[in-house]
Amino acid sequence: MSDPRGATDPVDERRESIRRFVGYGKRLGYSALLVAIAAFVLGAITDFPAWTVTVVTIGLVVSCIALPGAIVFGYGIRAAEREERGAARRP
């Protein structure tokens, strides 16, 4: 947030930076999961060639690495903003 004098809050800047990385992490994780599911379906139709097993495994590993941190940090940012709004309402 910026004040009338044009200064920005460093906490808000940091939060926005984390929010950007959370978006990238979620996009990467869910995309990898989608690729893994598509490769699994394709593999099930074609008797699981070796490349489909490899793609499924890599997709699941990437998803398991990218998603948990992104989800937890996303919840953390939302909780901090909710707490900040609640503190602003209290006298």
Side-chain angles (χ1 to χ4, degrees), residues 13-88:
E13 288 177 3
R14 181 72 176 150
R15 206 175 279 165
E16 188 58 37
S17 170
I18 293 170
R19 182 177 289 117
R20 224 180 3 261
F21 283 112
V22 164
Y24 296 147
K26 283 184 178 181
R27 195 172 305 128
L28 173 66
Y30 285 124
S31 296
L33 191 58
L34 180 64
V35 167
I37 291 169
F40 180 82
V41 169
L42 186 62
I45 293 170
T46 60
D47 290 331
F48 290 105
W51 69 269
T52 60
V53 175
T54 303
V55 170
V56 169
T57 304
I58 291 171
L60 289 176
V61 168
V62 169
S63 178
C64 288
I65 291 170
L67 276 177
I71 291 171
V72 168
F73 277 101
Y75 278 120
I77 288 172
R78 285 194 299 251
E81 289 173 345
R82 198 170 37 248
E83 177 69 24
E84 206 171 67
R85 283 192 307 266

Side-chain angles (χ1 to χ4, degrees), residues 1-16 84:
M1 303 204 96
S2 57
D3 66 14
R5 290 169 277 156
T8 57
D9 185 8
V11 173
D12 287 337
E13 288 177 3
R14 181 72 176 150
R15 206 175 279 165
E16 188 58 37
E84 206 171 67

